[in-house]
Every structure is written in C-alpha cells, then in structure tokens.
Amino acid sequence: MSDGRVRAAIERMEVWLDDPAWMPNADELAPWEDEFQAAQLCAERAEGWMELVARAHAAARRLEERLLVVAAERDRLRIEVEAQERGNRALRGYGAGTR
C-alpha cells in the first residue's frame, strides 16, 4: 500500500513535534516536505486515508504553533541584540568623550 510513505512522513513529523526540544529548521523541513509531497502524489488513498489526512492536518497545526513560538523567540533575541548593540555604541561614544 503506497499510503505507507504518507503515513511514515506524518509519523516522522509527529515524532519531531512530540520532542519539546525540537526546533524546526529548513535543513530538516525542506527534504521532509519533498518526501511528503512525492508520497501524496503516488498514494492510493485507500481505506484509512481520511485518518491520514486528519493526522496531517493536526501535525500542520502543531507545526504552525511551534513556528510561532520560534518566531517569537527569534524576535525577542533580535530586540535584545539590538539593545546590546545600542548600549555598546553608547559606551564607545562615552569612552571617546572622556579621554
């Protein structure tokens, strides 16, 4: 049954999503997406197909949630780094004026 490739791809994503330490990255997601799309194209859509569709949609929602968390953390870090850069520039400017 060629639906097995789709199931395997979904299960791989579910394993990633079940790991709280897993952070989505393009190096993992791009090949996974290619495999998932290829598996879908040749899948038989036999009995149990709707269950796979539901699992895929659930995994997609979980991935979106994880990506929102990652994006928020990235934005927080960017703000922190920018604040440190401003502080460093201010310190350099202050140091130049006290010599």
Side-chain angles (χ1 to χ4, degrees), residues 2-68:
S2 62
D3 294 353
R5 282 179 63 196
V6 174
R7 177 175 281 104
I10 293 169
E11 287 171 352
R12 183 171 184 196
M13 179 58 69
E14 290 170 338
V15 166
W16 285 339
L17 292 167
D18 287 341
D19 179 357
W22 180 73
M23 299 298 264
N25 69 68
D27 292 337
E28 286 179 324
L29 291 176
W32 178 88
E33 175 73 13
D34 292 343
E35 169 58 21
F36 182 71
Q37 294 298 328
Q40 274 190 305
L41 288 175
C42 62
E44 294 173 7
R45 291 165 175 78
E47 185 178 330
W49 179 255
M50 294 312 294
E51 174 204 349
L52 288 178
V53 169
R55 286 175 64 188
H57 288 177
R61 284 189 299 275
R62 291 176 62 198
L63 179 59
E64 284 296 322
E65 291 168 0
R66 182 76 60 98
L67 289 172
L68 288 174

Side-chain angles (χ1 to χ4, degrees), residues 79-91:
I79 290 167
E80 186 177 318
V81 167
E82 289 170 356
Q84 288 176 359
E85 289 173 352
R86 281 192 307 273
N88 287 338
R89 283 193 303 271
L91 286 173

